[in-house]
């Protein structure tokens, strides 16, 4: 029986890989320029890290985690990381990074795992690129993080995406807000979708971003809207949010305020943001992030303010202009494998991209291949080897020249 890839997973190769590499390369370049350092954390962690760190009431922990006993007799389960903030925070605490002077700024790029129903823009293994910034409570850090996201997207020629921001307030503001939302939604409880009935108890703010049409309609009613659009955050939170908006204005970053933006994870406080693309259809969020000032302490570290985001690489891939496969520098046409290998070695050491025929096929076949994949063919026949010269053919113009050394050849 032929074994196929698991549902919701995907092989990336061939025409797609160049574009993927570009995404990763740009991420490294843009984030490094802003002094974010790469961090690689394991793809599996103790289950408790996510149940505590992402939150029991989140969709991720409730229904999307890949959790299992690594061996039949294991006492504890492990979980494939569904997101990377919890892992980075764990590493931050474990390596005592609070001892260093803030900020600590990280970026990551890697696979995440969620047991979801596979569909367009939704896989079970998908990649995220993201950043986490620790130690700065001021809105300057929120601005820096949003700026990094926007600059990275710009580097991929994505200039017209929608940046939506909101402030959930500090835990105290959030509690009050939660209570008023519950209060005003109470009469509608029976009309909410089944998921929202559960959310009403576990995580009422999530009702605000329910995709169910009927729930959306309920939120449109006057008295509910009044509660949603009321300025409920405290003065300090308001100052923080105002400062962020000012920075974004100064940076010419277009944004809009979306009062319904609450994000799925429990740990956010104050700033939350998403970046969306109209080109994506219903799974339209590319990037989600926000401030999570309480998380480090909640996972056992010293109280540390933090802010970050994660972007879905597959969704990014689907909306950016694709890279064209480029031709290699030289294809060596030869019937002498040993000499071809040696020449390939020398040229590669000089930084050239080189391939050759491994099977001594007829020259006509080799030229056919060369024309497909390379800019130039180097002919290494008996004459060339005996008389120590190279014939090089520009496969674009057809022009053929003869040179005596590798340096001349290059
Ligand atoms: P959604 O509302 O689409 O489920 P989310 O809130 O679960 O998103 P986050 O946890 O914020 O997503 O993850 C950040 C980004 O990772 C998303 O904006 C999206 O681009 C991407 N992403 C999330 N889940 C998946 C998935 N199953 N497949 C592919 N990309 C995903
Ligand atoms: Mg999700």
């Amino acid at each position: 029986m032929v074994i196929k890839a698991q549902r919701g997973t995907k092989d990336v190769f061939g025409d797609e890989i160049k574009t993927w590499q570009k995404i990763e390369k740009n991420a490294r370049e843009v984030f490094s320029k802003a002094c974010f350092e790469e961090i690689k954390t394991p793809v599996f962690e103790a289950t408790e890290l996510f149940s505590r760190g992402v939150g029991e009431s989140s969709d991720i922990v409730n229904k999307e985690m890949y959790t299992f006993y690594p061996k039949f007799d294991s006492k504890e389960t492990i979980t494939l990381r569904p997101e990377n903030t919890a892992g980075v925070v764990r590493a931050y605490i474990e390596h005592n990074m609070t001892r260093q002077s803030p900020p600590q700024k990280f970026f990551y790029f890697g696979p995440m795992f969620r047991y979801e129903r596979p569909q367009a823009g939704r896989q079970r293994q998908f990649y995220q690129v993201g950043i986490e910034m620790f130690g700065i409570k001021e809105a300057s850090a929120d601005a820096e993080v949003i700026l990094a996201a926007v600059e990275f997207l710009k580097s991929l020629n994505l200039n017209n995406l929608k940046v939506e921001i909101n402030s959930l307030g500090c835990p105290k503001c959030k509690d009050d807000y939660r209570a008023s939302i519950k209060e005003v939604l109470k009469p509608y409880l029976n009309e909410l979708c089944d998921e929202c009935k559960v959310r009403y108890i576990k995580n009422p703010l999530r009702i605000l971003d329910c995709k169910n049409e009927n729930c959306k309609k309920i939120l449109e009613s006057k008295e509910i809207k009044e509660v949603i659009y009321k300025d409920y955050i405290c003065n300090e939170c308001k100052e923080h949010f105002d400062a962020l908006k000012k920075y974004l204005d100064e940076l010419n970053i277009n944004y809009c305020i979306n009062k319904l933006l609450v994000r799925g994870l429990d740990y956010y406080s104050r700033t939350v943001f998403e970046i969306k693309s109209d080109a994506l259809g219903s799974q339209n969020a590319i990037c989600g992030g926000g401030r999570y000032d309480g998380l480090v302490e909640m996972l056992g570290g010293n109280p540390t303010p933090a802010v970050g985001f994660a972007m879905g690489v597959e969704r990014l891939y689907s909306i950016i202009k694709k890279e064209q496969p480029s031709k290699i520098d030289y294809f060596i046409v030869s019937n002498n494998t040993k000499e071809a290998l040696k020449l390939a070695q020398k040229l590669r050491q000089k930084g050239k991209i080189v391939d050759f025929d491994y099977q001594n096929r007829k020259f006509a076949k080799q030229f056919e291949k060369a024309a497909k994949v390379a800019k130039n063919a180097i002919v290494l026949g008996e004459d060339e080897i005996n008389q120590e010269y190279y014939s090089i053919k520009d496969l674009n113009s057809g022009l053929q020249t003869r040179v005596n050394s590798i340096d001349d050849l290059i």
Side-chain angles (χ1 to χ4, degrees), residues 114 116 121-123 126 128 263 285-288 310-312 315:
R114 295 185 194 176
E116 301 199 69
R122 229 178 251 302
Q123 291 176 204
F126 61 98
Q128 280 186 341
R263 311 269 313 124
I286 292 174
C287 173
M311 276 191 208
R315 290 190 201 173

Side-chain angles (χ1 to χ4, degrees), residues 34-35 43 63 66 121 149 194 202 241 293 379 404-405:
C35 306
V43 296
K63 42 186 189 193
Y66 276 93
D194 289 344
K202 288 191 168 179
F241 197 43
D293 290 347
V379 187
N404 294 322
S405 72

Side-chain angles (χ1 to χ4, degrees), residues 28-47:
R28 268 174 224 294
E29 279 174 11
V30 174
F31 299 151
S32 304
K33 271 194 260 176
C35 306
F36 289 88
E37 267 182 29
E38 183 162 9
I39 184 165
K40 290 180 192 289
T41 59
V43 296
F44 58 85
E45 301 268 4
T47 302

Side-chain angles (χ1 to χ4, degrees), residues 68-86:
F68 52 90
Y69 291 99
K71 291 266 186 205
F72 291 118
D73 54 355
S74 303
K75 299 249 176 341
E76 312 276 351
T77 60
I78 58 175
T79 294
L80 301 183
R81 63 180 184 195
E83 55 94 65
N84 210 27
T85 301

